[in-house]
Amino acid sequence: MHPIPTLRRALLAAAVLAATCTVAPLALAQPAAWPVSGKPVRIVVPFPAGSGSDATARVIAKLMTDELGGAPVIVDNKPGAGTFIGAQEVARSPADGHTLLYTIVITHTQNPHLYAKLPYDPVRDFTPLAQMVKSATVLIAPPDAPFRNIGELVAYAKANPGKLNYASFSQGSTSHLNGELLQMRTGTKMTHVPYKGTADASRALVAGEVQLYFDGTATAVQLIKAGKAIGLGTATPARVPVLPDMPTIAEQGVKGLDIVGWQGIFGPGNMDPAVAKKIGDLLAKIARSPEMLKLIETQGNEPSGASGPAFAAIVKNDSERWGEVIKAANIKLD
């Protein structure tokens, strides 16, 4: 046997082996296909059908279907238990991008501080995909209230400690926490009256059962335009577009009430980063689409579209800030 052909064959075999070793890792690194053909994408909404979040989620589902060339995207309502039921459903689902959670700020930034035990881990069990909507709360009062702005409110509350009642749409909600924060920042004492939902809280204010309510923008604007309430200020970093003439609470001298509410979409934890990015980019595009912008404007909210790490940073920051408020107010719900 001649040594040269033998050497040539050995080098050829080594080259083939090297090529195989080089290609295999690249093949393994390819992201899983999303969405899988014929498999629907399910958006779990932890609120009842017909709620504001449900309506927005259904528009998002439609737009996702359009963008994905007709791939089915459905909304699955799992209401109850302070968003626990819906959140737990998604946390336990396969991390393949076919089960998503559309929820509000409470699930990941307030519940972890309000409850000693949660049926989900807000960080480990979820992948932040995109913040879709930024929402504000507006401090409203009855038309016959003896104050017309934050300065007058604070003066009245200090002169009449415990006399003012403020509503919230539930214990531990953003409307409740903003009321606690207002008292801490102003050294006033008011009485919290929790209700079961925004409709009941708004009705209580109109009926005169309470004198203050941190209401969502859409319903606050409706009450103000109907002459059933007056607006005292917004709990936001800047004025909201739908109420351009109403100063923020900070503009009126009370700092710290500027934690913006939001609605966003999460996947289960440990999603393939490439799939998570693909979904996040798609949602960011949808958040700025004409149809979404029109819907968000009618709600009195603002579009976002922050996705991936940017949304994760928002969640982390808001969790830390709400945690400080909840701890200072000593609020526990279990």
Side-chain angles (χ1 to χ4, degrees), residues 12 19-20 53 113 123 140 147 153 163 182 190 197 209-210 232 235 282 297 302:
L12 180 60
T20 302
S53 297
H113 307 287
V123 177
I140 60 174
F147 36 77
L153 165 62
K163 185 175 180 179
L182 177 64
M190 294 176 268
E209 296 174 13
V210 296
L232 303 178
L282 172 63
E297 182 180 352
E302 296 181 64

Side-chain angles (χ1 to χ4, degrees), residues 92-137:
R92 293 176 173 178
S93 297
D96 58 5
H98 283 267
T99 304
L100 308 176
L101 176 70
Y102 186 77
T103 192
I104 62 174
V105 65
I106 185 174
T107 307
H108 293 84
T109 72
Q110 296 170 354
N111 280 348
H113 307 287
L114 292 167
Y115 296 89
K117 293 183 179 180
L118 288 177
Y120 59 87
D121 186 296
V123 177
R124 185 189 64 233
D125 292 343
F126 297 93
T127 301
L129 297 174
Q131 182 189 54
M132 302 301 290
V133 178
K134 293 188 290 184
S135 57
T137 51

Side-chain angles (χ1 to χ4, degrees), residues 103-106 109-110 131-138 174-175 177-178 181 214-217 234-241 248 256-264 296 300-304 311 313-319 321-322 325:
T103 192
I104 62 174
V105 65
I106 185 174
T109 72
Q110 296 170 354
Q131 182 189 54
M132 302 301 290
V133 178
K134 293 188 290 184
S135 57
T137 51
V138 182
T174 302
S175 56
L177 298 179
N178 272 331
L181 192 52
F214 278 97
D215 196 4
T217 310
T234 59
T236 52
R239 297 191 184 195
V240 297
T248 67
L257 279 82
D258 59 355
I259 312 178
V260 175
W262 44 258
Q263 300 171 27
I296 292 169
N301 296 322
E302 296 181 64
S304 175
F311 182 33
I314 292 169
V315 176
K316 182 177 184 295
N317 180 65
D318 285 359
S319 180
R321 293 187 67 191
W322 280 127
V325 174

